[in-house]
Amino acid sequence: MKEIELSGLDTLYDKKVQCPFCSHSFTSKKVRIKFIKPLKVDSDFGPIFAKEDKNNPLFYYVIVCPNCGFSFTEDFSKPFGQLTKQKVEDEISKKIDRNIDYCGVRDFLGAERAYKLAIYSGQLIGENHIVFANLCLRLAWINRGTGKKEEERRFLQLAASEFEQSYINTDFIPKNMPEIQILYLIGELNRQLGNSSKAVRYFSAVIGHPEKSKNSKYVNLARSQWKLAADEYRGIK
Ligand SMILES: [Zn+2]
């Protein structure tokens, strides 16, 4: 048993899934919880994994259907109309390279490809902003783990903007991610991007939120990051 674990064969398992687009049933890899060992968890909740760590659960967040190529996450919720069905068939199913195995073990490049396919699939069917926010934030974390600073920043910017749009349009599911957490993330991502005054505005919305007593974790985080943002703002001035 030990040997199997050490060889890495047992760290992943196959999860049964069904494609929401073509109804094909297949399996997609997931990392067993006991093998998930991030180096640290950042102030935007990003679990950061060593570059050589193959048991990175972020690699397996996106599911790619081997039959039609439609790529999705658990957040996807939009129904398919006739027009969007045609778009997915023309733009993805007819074009996808079926020689690439998205259901097996993934490395950084395989994961990156799967994320970009999910972003494209989501765009074709007009998914909610929260879907893109979560995809872009995770793609930023993966890039952070591999030291790709420019790509990290690019996806942090997209994530910040999509979270903001999700908040404005209230297209998130509070049970999955409460509003106060989204406000905190908009603040923290903007702080990381150097938009200190915007960060402070969102942190103050967290601290004054009607549900602050139920969510002291975010209030405490917002207080400490607010101080950082204010110091950074004064530093810039
Ligand atoms: Zn499919």
Side-chain angles (χ1 to χ4, degrees), residues 63-130:
I63 297 163
V64 182
C65 175
N67 184 51
C68 70
F70 187 72
S71 307
F72 55 98
T73 66
E74 286 174 3
D75 289 337
F76 274 54
S77 64
K78 289 275 170 173
F80 303 99
Q82 202 48 47
L83 194 67
T84 52
K85 267 188 178 170
Q86 196 58 50
K87 273 199 240 171
V88 173
E89 275 166 21
D90 291 345
E91 297 300 321
I92 295 181
S93 304
K94 285 181 187 165
K95 291 181 182 171
I96 190 146
D97 183 352
R98 286 186 168 73
N99 293 317
I100 300 173
D101 176 18
Y102 288 100
C103 299
V105 176
R106 286 181 192 161
D107 56 9
F108 172 82
L109 286 175
E112 191 184 41
R113 225 184 275 127
Y115 273 75
K116 288 179 177 173
L117 268 174
I119 291 171
Y120 190 40
S121 298
Q123 283 169 341
L124 288 177
I125 65 167
E127 263 302 342
N128 290 325
H129 293 287
I130 193 69

Side-chain angles (χ1 to χ4, degrees), residues 14 18 41-42 45 52 55 73 75 83 101 108 115 121 131 144 162 184 197:
D14 289 313
Q18 190 175 32
V41 177
D42 277 338
F45 314 121
E52 61 281 1
N55 300 319
T73 66
D75 289 337
L83 194 67
D101 176 18
F108 172 82
Y115 273 75
S121 298
V131 165
R144 189 181 296 164
E162 291 295 333
Y184 169 76
S197 58

Side-chain angles (χ1 to χ4, degrees), residues 19 21-22 24 65 67-68:
C19 174
F21 185 71
C22 73
H24 179 65
C65 175
N67 184 51
C68 70

